[in-house]
Amino acid sequence: MTAKFADIPAPQTETRPKADSWHGVSRVDEYAWLRAENWQEVFKDPSLLDPAIRSHLEAENIYQAAMMADTAELQKKLFSEMRGRIKEDDSSVPMKDGAFAYGTSFKAGGEQPRFFRTPREGGEEQILLDGDREAEGKSYFRLGGADHSPDHKLLLWGFDDKGSEFYTLHVRDIDGGADNADSVADTGGAGTWDAEAAGFFYTRLDANHRPSKIYYHTLGKKRDRPIYEEKDPGFFMDVGGTLTNQWIFIAIHDHETSEYRILPANDPGSKPHLVAARETGLQYDLEDGGDIFFILTNADGAKDFKVMTAPTSDPGRANWRELIPHEPGRLVLSIMAFRDFLVRLERKDGLPRIVIRERATGEEHMITFEEEAYSLGLSGALEYDADAIRFSYSSMTTPSQVYDYNMRTRERTLLKTQEVPSGHDANQYVTRRLMAPSYDGERVPISLLHHKDTPLDGSAPCLLYGYGAYGITIPASFNTNCLSLVNRGFVYAIAHVRGGKDKGFSWYEDGKKAKKHNTFDDFVHAALHLVAEGYTDHDRIVAQGGSAGGLLIGAVANLAPQAFGGFIAEVPFVDVLATMLDDTLPLTPPEWPEWGNPKESRADYQTIASYSPYDNVDAKDYPPILAVAGLTDPRVTYWEPAKWAARLRAKKTGRSPVLLKINMDAGHGGASGRFSRLEEIAFVYAFALKVVDRMGG
């Protein structure tokens, strides 16, 4: 059933063997030279890339373009379809804060969002920031945060124009419409105002792209004051404010341990106060509740988390008191505090739910939903004394709906339903929730969508998506793009494999470090189950994943190439062992709790070496493989997929191609504009359609 690709010679990658040895184990990397020695400089100025490396990457792009040339018209058609499902002049429902309500919008044909506000009860819209105007003349442009000051006079906003995620912050006078002289480079993308709007706090990235320092910038001054420095390169750090405008929170964390330091928002010169010292494995999040702090934590063995309180005057661990006890199987994801209510988002039986608690009485009620599988987003409110919160709801067949919910009256008000200009009839589609038995008896949830007329006799092609890392849950939400596949007879499926928190915190623990193989086995067994249930057949399944999901794709390609018809790996983390051994790279030390530390642990080295996609490429008949990457990506560096593609071609048997598409003007998130991004999706979908010989479907 697979289509034939043109017989075009692939790029020949020069080999320059480089050896290393760890724990008595020697390795040779013949393509290590693709890693630019000056990668830090390249992130900020791509023109500094070694000409030999640039020439090779450009040759890869020429090759993939030639191999995909026969899909050019299909890509245009897919792009047109997907664009036709977007309301081009879309706008969010503004959120009230003080005398105004703030929101985002797009203009017809615009690539970038605009930030606007209106008078609180409605009136003329005022554009605060026009992303399209700021992006003029730039090949890449992505907005970071945009935060209005407490007095509503200033806007703090950031942008990245390289794709490297080094953001520059500016301050705009809202009434005047122009930026002032305050500008800060090399930040994480957002900042937080102090209580008086005299300045802002921000995170500065070091040369290795780590958020190692918090600074305070006083408006009108050139020299910024250091607030806190994190010495351990294994920890992330960010800074934020609270709805009460009383506190500044410095959150420090890796993937299993957290720590907070706080200071009064009206005293930016004060020394940050430690809440509870980091203990390996202890996680806690702080929420400002006025006279108390609410603490979401896994302390005392609360694997699925519980809620505690502490006085703001002395919030140390000794003063934590239990408010909402731990309930195994009910994973508390987040909490939001308001004057009279505490709101929590939690997941039970694989589905999210919102619970409202009246602070004075402790009485609780739940916002309920009826569909078999769905997605929830909790926006909350911008004001501490709010009675209403905002949330969004969608399913794989139901377009996104935005609601305001009055916590006091329990009235739910529909504010907006996602418009699909080209039309969408939910009755034409079927969404299901399957449970696939994995190798050890665990049941892996699969969310799937197909057209009601799609035959379920094994003849349908399938795009099977997976992620499975960091405890991230892939929601069963509405996705207009995948309809271009579903309308062509595809079954679109999401395998909720171990490594996410889809079935609770233990589901995450069972897919990390020494248990990482569960993630890959779950995905293979999800594919087997879809075949067994008649949804598709093995040569019709195209597997897709990105970033850590790209690791999943690379590992599965080595583990069970015969179970799939093709693989799509976007910004794939495929050179896991080499990256985890290189502590100069941006994310390596903070990632050790997720994957293991192969520098220090022989066992971790052996575990990672057993599945690292690049290290396990072998003489196998792989189906067609597409890798997509970005030159300035600081998360998954470009050389990982470049090396992987080269080694696959050198070792594999059979005639199936390996394609590498590398965006020379973007990073981890791909193209930054909303329509430019659709062009990339159209390319990926065209590959999937070509693999299963449905280009004319």
Side-chain angles (χ1 to χ4, degrees), residues 636-680:
V636 177
T637 51
Y638 73 85
W639 57 83
E640 292 202 30
K643 290 166 53 179
W644 183 51
R647 184 174 278 184
L648 278 165
R649 292 198 195 104
K651 288 197 170 189
K652 74 180 186 64
T653 62
R655 299 175 61 85
S656 294
V658 176
L659 308 183
L660 172 62
K661 178 181 174 64
I662 184 157
N663 192 325
M664 303 298 281
D665 296 310
H668 197 68
S672 57
R674 58 175 177 161
F675 300 129
S676 299
R677 177 60 184 148
L678 289 183
E679 292 177 350
E680 294 187 345

Side-chain angles (χ1 to χ4, degrees), residues 269-284:
S270 62
K271 181 180 178 180
H273 174 74
L274 175 65
V275 174
R278 66 192 70 171
E279 300 174 25
T280 300
L282 173 65
Q283 298 181 48
Y284 69 96

Side-chain angles (χ1 to χ4, degrees), residues 177-358:
D179 292 334
N180 61 27
D182 296 277
S183 178
V184 181
D186 297 340
T187 78
T192 299
W193 292 102
D194 68 19
E196 308 301 327
F200 57 86
F201 299 85
Y202 66 92
T203 306
R204 179 173 291 171
L205 305 181
D206 63 19
N208 287 351
H209 207 276
R210 293 175 185 146
S212 59
K213 297 178 181 179
I214 302 293
Y215 281 86
Y216 175 76
H217 175 84
T218 303
L219 296 182
K221 292 188 177 181
K222 293 183 178 180
R223 190 182 182 101
D224 293 349
R225 181 167 62 252
I227 299 297
Y228 181 76
E229 179 178 3
E230 176 52 51
K231 300 289 189 180
D232 190 332
F235 280 78
F236 300 98
M237 184 166 58
D238 56 71
V239 61
T242 66
L243 288 184
T244 65
N245 206 25
Q246 293 183 142
W247 297 99
I248 299 297
F249 288 168
I250 297 174
I252 308 164
H253 62 91
D254 62 12
H255 292 296
E256 63 181 14
T257 302
S258 53
E259 178 179 276
Y260 272 78
R261 293 171 186 267
I262 62 176
L263 63 156
N266 62 0
D267 187 8
S270 62
K271 181 180 178 180
H273 174 74
L274 175 65
V275 174
R278 66 192 70 171
E279 300 174 25
T280 300
L282 173 65
Q283 298 181 48
Y284 69 96
D285 281 319
L286 214 58
E287 180 73 3
D288 182 5
D291 56 343
I292 61 171
F293 289 135
F294 292 101
I295 303 164
L296 176 63
T297 181
N298 66 348
D300 311 311
K303 180 175 289 189
D304 287 325
F305 289 78
K306 61 181 178 179
V307 180
M308 307 186 80
T309 63
T312 57
S313 58
D314 189 3
R317 180 80 183 275
N319 292 325
W320 293 9
R321 299 291 180 265
E322 186 173 273
L323 178 69
I324 300 172
H326 176 239
E327 180 184 307
R330 179 196 66 187
L331 178 62
V332 185
L333 299 168
S334 63
I335 56 175
M336 291 183 178
F338 301 96
R339 183 190 60 202
D340 297 328
F341 301 94
L342 179 67
V343 181
R344 66 181 188 267
L345 179 64
E346 58 187 37
R347 182 175 292 110
K348 188 171 184 179
D349 299 325
L351 291 175
R353 62 190 193 184
I354 297 171
V355 180
I356 312 297
R357 180 186 182 93
E358 189 173 344

